[in-house]
Amino acid sequence: MPERKRVLITGAAGFLGSHLCDRFIKEGFHVIGMDNLITGSLSNIEHLFKLEQFEFYHHDVSKFVFVPGELHYILHFASPASPIDYLKIPIQTLKVGSLGTHNLLGLARVKKARMLIASTSEVYGDPNVHPQNEDYWGNVNPIGPRGVYDEAKRFQEAITMAYHTYHDLETRIVRIFNTYGPRMRLDDGRALPAFMGQALRGQDITVFGDGSQTRSFCYVDDLVEGIYRLLFSDYVNPVNIGNPDEITIKEFAEEIIALTGTSQKIIYHPLPTDDPKQRRPDITRAQQILGWKPKVSRKEGLKITYDYFKNLPEFK
Ligand code: UDP
């Protein structure tokens, strides 16, 4: 049997990282997970520890990173990724996107590995162009509460392109739009876990602002498929991966109220600073280059996700 290709996944114990670990194991790779467990949880990858094709390093990628042996691919998914986390740990958020990316690019060079970075729709900030395509440069407030994430991710794209241009490193950049599914953290402050957690605890549903701001939610399996295709494509510029099915946050809250059958009502809280008014990916590039588009409807995806939350020990 040929040797398994070896992939390093940072942020392996997080929501997206853990789903990527599962996918690469399923595809026959040797997966090396890395996480400092600040926002990730070992429960997301506990099922992998019994496999000999999986190993795990408890390490902070903002510090020098070393992995013995060959590495063919690096997927950098370590980062806090919700507004509540950026407020709690802003410096770590900046460091993992900047210093962490630099360390991993250095590792990729030494190992001659291909590196894919997790960028984000946050690079578009509060967008003046709708829907957002990859040629839009964005509207970001560098010193606002989201600035630590947005600017780290913009720097991350810049340094990754520089390593590609000046060091001939093989690189890929995915811009991830709002994604949901099992293993999201209930307390991460994002709309979906907040609403589902509130429904399960019998609390009112907290919509921020008047709820007219929009988002477009992608189910995690669709996202992972897009990332997988991008890694094995030869395309170097950023690619949006997300679901263009746009909805206002008020309607989203109503969908979750209907799904969960909660008798709680919506209550309105002030809109957080710099909360983007609208967001929807233009996925033309992903469709043309990767032959990719999302398959899971919000109805299906929300049901799977709610079943996951409902079965957490806290609610049994
Ligand atoms: N939101 C809300 N109530 C909550 C949590 C979030 O109305 O309890 C809003 C938030 O202000 C934003 C939208 O839902 O307009 C999506 O928030 P999320 O944190 O999920 O994603 P992001 O703002 O990073 O796109």
Side-chain angles (χ1 to χ4, degrees), residues 135-169:
D135 295 328
Y136 176 51
W137 293 351
N139 177 37
V140 169
N141 173 6
I143 57 165
R146 289 173 181 252
V148 294
Y149 183 63
D150 300 6
E151 295 297 358
K153 291 292 185 181
R154 289 170 68 97
F155 173 85
Q156 181 182 46
E157 289 198 9
I159 193 170
T160 299
M161 282 314 279
Y163 266 70
H164 172 71
T165 310
Y166 295 103
H167 291 313
D168 256 343
L169 191 73

Side-chain angles (χ1 to χ4, degrees), residues 120-121 124 127 129-134 175-179 214-218 223 239-247 278-287 292 294:
T120 164
S121 54
Y124 303 123
V129 164
H130 195 72
Q132 294 79 53
N133 67 43
E134 292 86 346
R175 288 191 183 146
I176 298 170
F177 282 66
N178 294 69
T179 301
T214 69
R215 294 294 186 273
S216 308
F217 294 95
C218 183
L223 181 91
V239 179
N240 287 341
I241 300 285
N243 190 324
D245 188 2
E246 185 178 1
I247 184 172
Q278 50 182 4
R279 184 182 286 155
R280 168 156 60 106
D282 179 334
I283 58 164
T284 311
R285 188 176 282 181
Q287 274 175 308
W292 175 88

Side-chain angles (χ1 to χ4, degrees), residues 81-84 86 120-122 146 149 177-179 184 188-195 198 205-209 211 213-217 249-250 252-253 267 269-272 274-277 279:
S82 84
I84 272 199
Y86 325 145
T120 164
S121 54
E122 285 285 328
R146 289 173 181 252
Y149 183 63
F177 282 66
N178 294 69
T179 301
M184 289 186 98
D188 80 354
R190 293 194 159 278
L192 184 144
F195 296 164
Q198 287 158 349
I205 309 296
T206 54
V207 166
F208 298 163
Q213 70 273 33
T214 69
R215 294 294 186 273
S216 308
F217 294 95
I249 293 302
K250 180 163 183 283
F252 189 58
I267 53 168
H269 285 196
L271 192 66
D274 296 338
D275 198 284
K277 283 180 280 305
R279 184 182 286 155

